[in-house]
Amino acid sequence: MMGGNQRDELIEDKRSRIIEHLQTGTEMMVYQQRAERLTVQVLMETMQVALIRSGDRIVRMLDIFELKEVRQDFQRFNESRGNIIQRIFRQSEKEIQQDSKTCFTIFYGSEFILESLSLNADSVEDAEKWLTGLELLRQETLVAHTPEIIENWLRKQMYSVDQTKKNSITLKELKSLLPQMNFFVPGGRFLEERFVEVGANDYVLDFQQFKKIYNLLVFENQKMLLEEFEKGPAAFTMSNTDRPGSSVLPLYDFQNFLLYRQKEDWAKDFKKVQELMTIFIDDKSNNPTFTVGEFLSFLFSKENSIWDERFSEICPLDMNNPLSHYWINSSHNTYLTGDQLCSESSTEAYVRCLRLGCRCIELDCWNGPDEPVIYHGRTMTSKIKFKDAVKAINDHAFVTSEYPVVLSIEEHCDIKQQKMMAQMLRDVFQDKLLTEPLDPEAEHLPSPNQLKGKIIIKHQKIKESDHTDKVEEEKGNAAVKRKLGSFKKIGNIYREKVHINAKENSVEKEGELCIWDSIDKRFYKHDCVILDNKLYYSEEKWEDDSTEEGLDLHLSETWFHGRLAGGRTTAEKLLRDFCKGSNGKDGTFLVRESETFIRNYSISFWTSGKIQHFRIFWSSEKGHTSFFLTKKQCFPSICALIEHYRQNLIKYDGFNLCLTRFLPRLNFVSHHQMGWFYSNLSRVEAEDYLLRIPRDGAFLIRQREEPDSFALSVRVQGHIKHFLIYRHNSKYVLADTYEFISLEDMVRCFREHILQDKIKLRYPVTPQLVVRFNMEDISTYDSELYGEVAEDNPLGDQCKGVVDISKCNVARKTKHARHLVVTLMNKENLRQTEFTCEILDQVDEWYQVILNIIQREQSLEKARIGEMESKTKIAIEMSDMVVYCQSIKKGTFEKYNYKEVRSVKDNMIPKEGNETGVEKSDSILEYNRTALTRVYPSGGRVDSSNFDPCPSWKLGCQMVALNFQTADKFMQLNSALFSLNGGTGYVLKPEWIRNPTKKKPPKQNIRIRVIAARHLPNPDHIISCFVQVELWPYTGSQADDYSFKTTMFKDNGLNPVWLGPMNPPKCFQVDEPDMAFLRFVVFEEDTFSDAQFLAHATFPMRGIRSGYRSVPLKNRFNENLELASLLVHAQQLEVQGK
């Protein structure tokens, strides 16, 4: 067996071969403005993909850092190719299939709408290597350590101006490069002196020298930061801080810094501290040291982030609450790429949102020429096909998160196209689509864990539950009353038609049917009546009670040995031993059950020193049962047959003799030989056996541990009941009421008479029956209806069951050895009822009556549904797939069902301190503990601007739908919130929001000081920047209490510093720590002294770490900015006087 190390080596070897293939480069067809054949190559030194023309001329570079997805998407590839060459040439089917395996598309960028590049490799093998290799590199880039990222970034900067292709950079090139790196070059001989310092000759730098100059530049302006650590707890002194490598920080000092300045408990582990240090240095010894330059690089690194990554991990235990207990990442008008009036609609917008962790997406559906389309109705936004959107959703729904996706459908289609929508949803999503409740008896929504991998439809539903209808009617909402009135009118019309039909026809058919018993595997006769579209059937009819009563008499006879283990061989041994020991007499016999044939028996007897065996045959014709040795002479029971041949000669097969004496069964206790009797079976085992038989009346008798004590166990109305039996004065007493000579008499009695609740002992549970049902699917068996037969049924007390014909399909065919059998299949539970008649013509009569009923009901149902659809404007097919998200248009939150979703505009949500809104905050909060709310932007936001989601979140609103395409503060807050819990799109609300008995957590204070920054983004010029820090949301009247700004730092975005009295720390009081966000925003001041956004970082307060921390920055679209970070100091403080 291969060990773990060997497997790792094989995986690494495969990776190396794939990466080597990508580095070598591959010629492919590349589709840009025009289609051309280029070499595609990965440059590992810069982590880029290069597109190269002949002559090594690079025409395009893609940063792997910006890659979001590599997709084998033939449709997307065809769109790209079609735009370029207009698809002039028609391809054969074989060529199309080949392209589908060799083409792929790279999606990249740092905005909401991604750029794409379509490529077509020459072979499937090449395509697979590129697909695998690029995804591998993309994942590795995400987890790369900061020193590795800096190395790649520096090479990227150097190669961008390396005109000689000699991996070197001149003084002139460096002067032009530094402004692009956001660094203002001082006058004089500033750079020349740095060239000399790093040992450059002829003013040319190789890469290592270029790296040294970079380290000098970033260190020089920030070396004063080291003074921060020469005082306070765990202070350390550095002898010389003029140069990055002029002084060192020992392992011990760094450990103390982590423990006492950074409050890192894990730093007590010496080995973990060593491992952290070796990320930033090459020293792998047991006592590594940091240079002061390396220490500062650590401070700015993502490894020292202010965000505690433990809060970004998924907590599976937190995913077991009802859906209403979560904030759910939600999008508004998901298909749009811009404003609400004239922007493009795109399936890629759905893909982007889903891959960003969105779990509730919106589809505005309108009639198209031939099929439904999605767009912002009555505007100039473009249209996409509903079918294409659904396919895109299906492909990407569970890539980022395995938890459920809600499709919020805004319906504007007519009934015809709604039916098309429903079919498309079923065809595309298949078993992902949730169409039935997980637990019909539940009183709350299921959990995200229960709904993993499911698509949930949010849409209007034609008919709510009876409870909800009643609630709606009591509510007094006029629109709801009108709708319910329509339902009632439709229902009354339908009922009147049925009532008239019943009056006219009364009993539509009555007579005797032979109904198939799937357990006994035979037909039984029943009296049957068809009335009011239902088939009523009686108990089984026993044709001749006296005959049936005698059928089992042999079971109590001592000459009957039952089924002998070993069969014929055992019978011969018993007779031989018995006859030899008592001077055997011819005609000595025993009767035993046949091993081979069901309901057949054998006589074994002694004659002339030998043993012979005769088979006793069994037959049933026209309801009469008979037993015989030859058909010339038949008997109604085995006892009658034996009694006859004890008086008369057996003339059969050359024999002429009478049965004389019999071999008595040793230790005879007759019921021990019965299949329904068990001498060693526990109560639990008995219940298990009986529950496997899907019929009432299944029974067995078992011996109890107490002497002369037994139990009758019976299945009654789907449950198991046990009755005590004990022996008293040689009789068997049942339930202290009935006395019997034997257990056989008891069974015989209650097979004919009711034991309890209309139940007779109907199905003896033998070991053979238990084995059979172990191997069969009992769901395929028809089950009897428990307590569902109306008292006023046409058969009265004799009615055993009823079949609702209107809910069935009907068919007829040859089956069960009968020429014609009618099968009724219930469309809801797939249970079957099969019957025939003794007279063939009667089968067709019954079939025609049933077929007429079904066709009549289908016609009425179609008319009823059509009228309901016409009144409600909702297709029944769409309505039927709505389970947990029933869209309700109401302005109130007072009475509700847990399956409802209220949709409200953002301006209808009460703001902090304002209770003049449509609904009081406490009623909204209470509603959201059980049911769902979706809040969406008001109609005035035509620019796709977003609203502040915090008031809605605070009231427990789950689905606060924002415009993902808009890069603003509120979308950034949304991204911050849903970075929690592994980015699954589900965040458990605080306990005090979920439970009214819980209190809010105590208030907190946090002190923030902005110290410095590195690698701020460069908008084509050297920036002058400042930082604004704010606590959101504001909970007081003074905004200055919740935000502050640093001073402006002129002409430096590479390594600005904010120290001194002009940049003091700011203390924020955090009233609701589990609802608050800490935001850092970097601005530059333009020529008009206006603040222009550069970068931000937004975090939930609950995950902020103390100490000197790096703040990794993102762009306005929440995409990571390579290496851009702030250095801040954060300190958690106790609230005084609490």
Side-chain angles (χ1 to χ4, degrees):
M1 184 179 291
M2 187 179 294
N5 290 336
Q6 289 175 296
R7 281 195 298 269
D8 292 342
E9 287 174 8
L10 279 176
I11 292 169
E12 181 59 32
D13 180 61
K14 183 179 179 181
R15 175 199 174 278
S16 298
R17 283 187 277 111
I18 291 174
I19 300 304
E20 184 180 349
H21 181 82
L22 270 57
Q23 285 183 276
T24 302
T26 307
E27 280 197 11
M28 302 187 204
M29 285 300 295
V30 180
Y31 298 89
Q32 302 182 90
Q33 287 77 17
R34 63 190 180 91
E36 62 179 319
R37 194 164 181 82
L38 300 174
T39 298
V40 185
Q41 183 179 11
V42 166
L43 307 179
M44 291 297 290
E45 288 183 321
T46 59
M47 291 305 286
Q48 291 176 300
V49 178
L51 306 182
I52 306 170
R53 285 200 183 106
S54 58
D56 291 339
R57 187 160 69 90
I58 296 176
V59 296
R60 194 170 183 183
M61 298 282 275
L62 305 181
D63 283 346
I64 294 175
F65 176 76
E66 289 195 346
L67 259 59
K68 298 297 183 290
E69 181 191 357
V70 186
R71 189 191 311 167
Q72 196 162 26
D73 187 340
F74 188 52
Q75 180 179 350
R76 180 78 181 190
F77 167 79
N78 259 340
E79 289 171 1
S80 300
R81 182 178 59 174
N83 292 335
I84 296 164
I85 62 175
Q86 300 301 314
R87 306 182 71 173
I88 296 171
F89 304 105
R90 292 182 61 84
Q91 285 183 296
S92 67
E93 186 66 30
K94 185 176 181 181
E95 288 173 323
I96 290 173
Q97 290 179 357
Q98 178 69 11
D99 276 351
S100 68
K101 297 177 182 178
T102 59
C103 66
F104 59 95
T105 302
I106 300 172
F107 292 85
Y108 64 96
S110 57
E111 297 189 359
F112 178 74
I113 297 302
L114 300 175
E115 301 289 332
S116 65
L117 180 68
S118 293
L119 306 100
N120 192 358
D122 291 341
S123 68
V124 174
E125 183 183 7
D126 275 346
E128 288 177 348
K129 284 181 178 178
W130 276 91
L131 281 163
T132 304
L134 286 178
E135 179 59 24
L136 192 66
L137 292 176
R138 190 185 74 84
Q139 295 289 346
E140 289 179 359
T141 302
L142 292 175
V143 297
H145 291 303
T146 300
E148 184 182 349
I149 298 171
I150 291 175
E151 182 96 359
N152 292 331
W153 181 81
L154 286 172
R155 288 190 180 275
K156 199 185 317 179
Q157 303 307 312
M158 181 175 175
Y159 294 170
S160 69
V161 295
D162 179 11
Q163 303 299 323
T164 63
K165 308 295 181 188
K166 295 179 180 177
N167 291 337
S168 61
I169 185 169
T170 64
L171 176 61
K172 181 180 178 180
E173 289 170 339
L174 184 60
K175 282 183 178 180
S176 66
L177 175 63
L178 287 177
Q180 298 175 37
M181 295 168 62
N182 237 331
F183 183 79
F184 177 76
V185 181
R189 294 183 55 79
F190 177 82
L191 280 183
E192 287 84 344
E193 292 171 359
R194 300 302 177 277
F195 267 63
V196 172
E197 190 171 343
V198 300
N201 298 320
D202 299 326
Y203 294 112
V204 177
L205 301 170
D206 61 20
F207 176 74
Q208 292 302 323
Q209 291 167 334
F210 173 62
K211 185 176 178 181
K212 286 180 181 179
I213 282 200
Y214 161 79
N215 288 331
L216 284 171
L217 294 179
V218 294
F219 179 80
E220 192 156 349
N221 193 50
Q222 294 183 336
K223 60 187 177 183
M224 73 281 290
L225 302 182
L226 296 169
E227 296 174 10
E228 289 276 325
F229 310 106
E230 294 179 353
K231 52 191 175 182
F236 46 85
T237 303
M238 288 152 283
S239 57
N240 185 346
T241 59
D242 289 341
R243 292 289 181 267
S246 59
S247 186
V248 296
L249 181 69
L251 173 62
Y252 176 78
D253 283 349
F254 183 58
Q255 183 182 34
N256 284 337
F257 165 76
L258 294 174
L259 285 169
Y260 301 109
R261 296 286 187 113
Q262 307 295 78
K263 311 298 182 185
E264 300 281 18
D265 287 339
W266 60 265
K268 293 173 183 176
D269 187 331
F270 204 70
K271 190 172 182 180
K272 288 183 178 179
V273 178
Q274 284 179 312
E275 290 173 356
L276 178 60
M277 290 185 75
T278 54
I279 290 173
F280 294 85
I281 59 177
D282 294 329
D283 185 358
K284 307 300 181 185
S285 68
N286 292 329
N287 191 27
T289 58
F290 266 153
T291 65
V292 287
E294 290 164 343
F295 176 65
L296 284 182
S297 292
F298 162 77
L299 291 179
F300 283 94
S301 72
K302 66 179 182 179
E303 288 79 6
N304 185 43
S305 174
I306 194 171
W307 178 246
D308 189 340
E309 287 296 337
R310 289 176 297 181
F311 287 87
S312 293
E313 296 171 0
I314 185 171
C315 181
L317 294 178
D318 280 351
M319 301 301 268
N320 292 323
N321 286 49
L323 220 56
S324 57
H325 288 189
Y326 297 85
W327 290 312
I328 302 172
N329 200 357
S330 304
S331 162
H332 170 250
N333 287 356
T334 312
Y335 49 91
L336 290 179
T337 59
D339 64 46
Q340 303 289 308
L341 296 179
C342 54
S343 66
E344 291 291 321
S345 302
S346 172
T347 57
E348 287 303 320
Y350 284 105
V351 175
R352 188 81 165 108
C353 287
L354 289 167
R355 284 179 166 264
L356 287 171
C358 185
R359 297 290 87 188
C360 176
I361 54 181
E362 186 172 17
L363 299 88
D364 285 357
C365 303
W366 297 78
N367 277 358
D370 303 306
E371 58 182 298
V373 296
I374 293 174
Y375 82 114
H376 197 200
R378 305 185 184 93
T379 68
M380 292 180 288
T381 57
S382 64
K383 300 174 182 178
I384 57 175
K385 291 181 179 180
F386 176 81
K387 177 170 59 179
D388 291 343
V390 171
K391 287 179 179 178
I393 293 165
N394 183 61
D395 290 341
H396 299 271
F398 303 108
V399 173
T400 298
S401 169
E402 62 183 338
Y403 293 97
V405 173
V406 178
L407 304 191
S408 180
I409 297 178
E410 187 175 313
E411 189 64 82
H412 302 280
C413 292
D414 60 22
I415 298 300
K416 179 181 177 182
Q417 293 210 1
Q418 283 188 49
K419 292 178 184 292
M420 294 171 67
M421 287 171 56
Q423 192 59 50
M424 290 172 187
L425 290 169
R426 291 185 183 277
D427 290 345
V428 174
F429 293 131
Q430 298 184 16
D431 59 354
K432 295 177 190 174
L433 187 65
L434 185 75
T435 56
E436 298 290 340
L438 301 186
D439 180 3
E441 305 300 321
E443 297 180 356
H444 55 74
L445 290 166
S447 70
N449 267 337
Q450 291 174 300
L451 292 166
K452 276 183 184 178
K454 289 297 180 184
I455 301 288
I456 302 170
I457 302 299
K458 174 185 169 289
H459 189 275
Q460 295 93 342
K461 192 170 181 67
I462 286 181
K463 188 177 181 182
E464 302 291 334
S465 67
D466 293 339
H467 167 72
T468 307
D469 285 345
K470 196 177 294 182
V471 168
E472 302 290 10
E473 192 169 20
E474 292 171 356
K475 180 63 189 162
N477 182 287
V480 175
K481 275 190 172 182
R482 284 196 297 272
K483 184 173 285 191
L484 287 172
S486 299
F487 290 155
K488 290 176 181 177
K489 183 178 178 183
I490 295 164
N492 289 336
I493 292 170
Y494 172 69
R495 281 191 290 274
E496 284 172 11
K497 290 178 180 177
V498 174
H499 183 64
I500 291 168
N501 179 68
K503 276 189 172 181
E504 290 176 353
N505 296 285
S506 189
V507 173
E508 296 191 51
K509 184 73 175 171
E510 61 182 327
E512 187 178 78
L513 292 178
C514 300
I515 299 178
W516 177 255
D517 188 309
S518 54
I519 293 182
D520 279 352
K521 298 292 185 183
R522 59 165 291 187
F523 286 102
Y524 286 104
K525 290 184 179 180
H526 300 257
D527 288 328
C528 296
V529 175
I530 294 179
L531 175 67
D532 291 340
N533 300 337
K534 293 182 174 63
L535 170 65
Y536 297 89
Y537 57 92
S538 69
E539 295 278 352
E540 297 91 340
K541 292 174 66 178
W542 302 103
E543 287 79 0
D544 185 346
D545 288 343
S546 61
T547 301
E548 292 292 335
E549 185 176 350
L551 289 178
D552 295 335
L553 290 175
H554 61 279
L555 298 177
S556 58
E557 296 290 342
T558 54
W559 43 256
F560 181 69
H561 287 241
R563 180 172 295 186
L564 290 174
R568 174 191 292 247
T569 304
T570 303
E572 290 179 355
K573 183 176 186 306
L574 289 172
L575 282 168
R576 190 173 289 110
D577 292 345
F578 179 75
C579 292
K580 282 184 177 179
S582 56
N583 298 319
K585 182 179 179 183
D586 285 354
T588 302
F589 73 98
L590 62 83
V591 179
R592 57 186 173 84
E593 194 173 343
S594 172
E595 298 175 87
T596 309
F597 301 98
I598 297 173
R599 295 192 179 180
N600 277 221
Y601 304 87
S602 294
I603 304 175
S604 301
F605 58 91
W606 177 275
T607 176
S608 303
K610 296 182 180 179
I611 297 169
Q612 300 292 335
H613 307 275
F614 286 169
R615 178 179 165 190
I616 303 175
F617 295 93
W618 169 91
S619 70
S620 179
E621 292 183 8
K622 296 183 179 181
H624 295 283
T625 303
S626 60
F627 298 87
F628 55 88
L629 297 181
T630 67
K631 285 191 175 182
K632 293 180 181 179
Q633 195 160 14
C634 298
F635 303 92
S637 67
I638 293 178
C639 287
L641 181 148
I642 296 298
E643 189 60 31
H644 173 83
Y645 287 118
R646 292 183 76 174
Q647 305 295 329
N648 301 283
L649 290 174
I650 298 176
K651 296 180 179 180
Y652 177 63
D653 202 18
F655 285 93
N656 287 282
L657 60 84
C658 287
L659 299 178
T660 54
R661 60 178 180 167
F662 58 83
L663 168 62
R665 192 170 356 152
L666 297 176
N667 303 319
F668 173 68
V669 181
S670 61
H671 54 255
H672 281 183
Q673 301 300 319
M674 304 302 294
W676 41 257
F677 183 82
Y678 295 83
S679 59
N680 186 22
L681 193 71
S682 69
R683 180 189 179 107
V684 173
E685 289 171 325
E687 291 180 351
D688 178 52
Y689 281 15
L690 290 165
L691 287 171
R692 297 182 195 184
I693 314 303
R695 288 291 186 84
D696 280 351
F699 75 95
L700 59 83
I701 296 177
R702 55 191 173 83
Q703 191 158 8
R704 302 175 73 235
E705 293 182 0
E706 295 82 356
D708 293 329
S709 179
F710 310 87
L712 170 63
S713 300
V714 190
R715 179 167 173 148
V716 179
Q717 294 186 355
H719 302 284
I720 309 305
K721 293 194 174 183
H722 305 274
F723 301 90
L724 178 64
I725 304 170
Y726 60 88
R727 291 193 68 177
H728 180 69
N729 294 333
S730 301
K731 292 186 178 181
Y732 294 87
V733 182
L734 173 66
D736 288 328
T737 305
Y738 306 100
E739 292 185 350
F740 300 94
I741 295 174
S742 67
L743 294 179
E744 292 88 341
D745 289 339
M746 182 187 300
V747 170
R748 192 178 300 116
C749 172
F750 290 113
R751 292 195 73 164
E752 299 172 19
H753 304 289
I754 291 173
L755 173 66
Q756 189 179 50
D757 297 332
K758 297 185 179 181
I759 300 300
K760 299 178 181 179
L761 301 185
R762 179 64 186 80
Y763 299 101
V765 178
T766 65
Q768 294 81 7
L769 193 64
V770 173
V771 170
R772 180 181 134 205
F773 275 89
N774 272 344
M775 298 185 293
E776 296 187 24
D777 180 6
I778 65 170
S779 65
T780 61
Y781 284 80
D782 57 308
S783 62
E784 295 168 352
L785 303 175
Y786 306 132
E788 294 185 11
V789 180
E791 291 183 3
D792 59 349
N793 74 81
L795 294 175
D797 292 340
Q798 294 301 311
C799 186
K800 180 181 181 182
V802 60
V803 179
D804 191 338
I805 298 172
S806 64
K807 294 180 180 179
C808 295
N809 291 322
V810 65
R812 55 182 176 175
K813 63 178 181 180
T814 301
K815 201 173 184 181
H816 305 312
R818 296 293 185 106
H819 290 295
L820 199 60
V821 174
V822 176
T823 300
L824 281 167
M825 170 78 78
N826 188 296
K827 290 179 285 189
E828 294 177 356
N829 56 31
L830 304 181
R831 298 285 167 77
Q832 292 185 356
T833 303
E834 299 173 304
F835 68 82
T836 187
C837 299
E838 293 290 351
I839 302 172
L840 194 61
D841 291 343
Q842 290 180 356
V843 182
D844 193 61
E845 291 175 11
W846 283 87
Y847 172 78
Q848 289 299 330
V849 170
I850 289 171
L851 183 62
N852 290 339
I853 290 172
I854 291 173
Q855 290 175 344
R856 182 175 69 229
E857 286 302 305
Q858 287 173 345
S859 178
L860 285 171
E861 180 70 6
K862 186 176 180 180
R864 184 181 71 87
I865 289 172
E867 195 166 355
M868 291 177 75
E869 290 178 334
S870 176
K871 293 280 186 182
T872 61
K873 308 299 182 187
I874 303 168
I876 190 71
E877 291 84 355
M878 285 300 300
S879 175
D880 285 349
M881 61 178 60
V882 180
V883 181
Y884 292 121
C885 291
Q886 302 171 9
S887 295
I888 303 294
K889 292 184 178 180
K890 279 189 175 182
T892 61
F893 291 83
E894 290 177 353
K895 297 195 176 179
Y896 47 86
N897 181 297
Y898 76 90
K899 295 180 181 179
E900 296 174 0
V901 180
R902 299 284 199 276
S903 292
V904 296
K905 296 177 182 178
D906 67 276
N907 55 16
M908 308 292 278
I909 296 294
K911 305 302 185 286
E912 186 77 21
N914 175 19
E915 296 296 337
T916 61
V918 172
E919 197 61 56
K920 297 291 184 181
S921 299
D922 53 356
S923 63
I924 299 176
L925 190 61
E926 179 61 31
Y927 167 89
N928 284 325
R929 291 186 177 114
T930 303
L932 301 176
T933 301
R934 182 176 182 269
V935 184
Y936 60 93
S938 59
R941 296 182 182 274
V942 294
D943 59 348
S944 293
S945 61
N946 285 308
F947 58 93
D948 183 0
C950 292
S952 301
W953 287 336
K954 188 174 179 179
L955 292 178
C957 299
Q958 297 84 0
M959 297 181 284
V960 182
L962 301 182
N963 294 299
F964 272 51
Q965 72 272 28
T966 301
D968 58 13
K969 174 196 289 188
F970 302 124
M971 192 60 221
Q972 292 157 10
L973 290 171
N974 189 80
S975 295
L977 175 66
F978 290 104
S979 68
L980 298 168
N981 199 30
T984 58
Y986 287 84
V987 173
L988 189 63
K989 293 184 282 190
E991 198 171 19
W992 60 270
I993 293 181
R994 293 180 277 130
N995 187 339
T997 65
K998 301 297 181 180
K999 293 182 179 180
K1000 293 182 181 180
K1003 296 179 180 181
Q1004 295 178 5
N1005 281 344
I1006 186 168
R1007 179 181 290 155
I1008 298 291
R1009 180 161 60 102
V1010 178
I1011 299 172
R1014 283 189 180 181
H1015 296 283
L1016 296 179
N1018 179 356
D1020 301 326
H1021 59 269
I1022 301 172
I1023 62 171
S1024 297
C1025 54
F1026 67 92
V1027 180
Q1028 179 174 323
V1029 183
E1030 63 180 354
L1031 184 72
W1032 195 268
Y1034 296 158
T1035 55
S1037 58
Q1038 299 296 321
D1040 289 345
D1041 293 339
Y1042 295 92
S1043 71
F1044 74 94
K1045 299 177 183 177
T1046 66
T1047 57
M1048 178 75 63
F1049 198 95
K1050 287 284 188 178
D1051 298 330
N1052 189 343
L1054 180 65
N1055 56 351
V1057 175
W1058 292 278
L1059 291 177
M1062 296 298 291
N1063 292 289
K1066 176 75 173 182
C1067 189
F1068 295 126
Q1069 179 173 299
V1070 187
D1071 294 336
E1072 294 169 346
D1074 46 15
M1075 287 289 300
F1077 297 87
L1078 189 62
R1079 277 176 53 78
F1080 301 87
V1081 188
V1082 182
F1083 294 95
E1084 74 155 328
E1085 190 174 274
D1086 63 16
T1087 54
F1088 299 100
S1089 298
D1090 292 330
Q1092 300 295 325
F1093 177 94
L1094 284 176
H1096 85 101
T1098 305
F1099 306 102
M1101 266 297 302
R1102 65 181 82 175
I1104 296 296
R1105 297 200 293 178
S1106 297
Y1108 292 88
R1109 295 295 181 180
S1110 165
V1111 179
L1113 296 172
K1114 299 175 182 287
N1115 71 4
R1116 65 175 66 248
F1117 289 96
N1118 278 293
E1119 296 293 338
N1120 292 326
L1121 291 168
E1122 197 170 27
L1123 294 173
S1125 64
L1126 302 175
L1127 179 62
V1128 303
H1129 183 262
Q1131 185 178 7
Q1132 307 279 348
L1133 302 171
E1134 292 185 6
V1135 176
Q1136 298 298 319
K1138 64 178 180 180

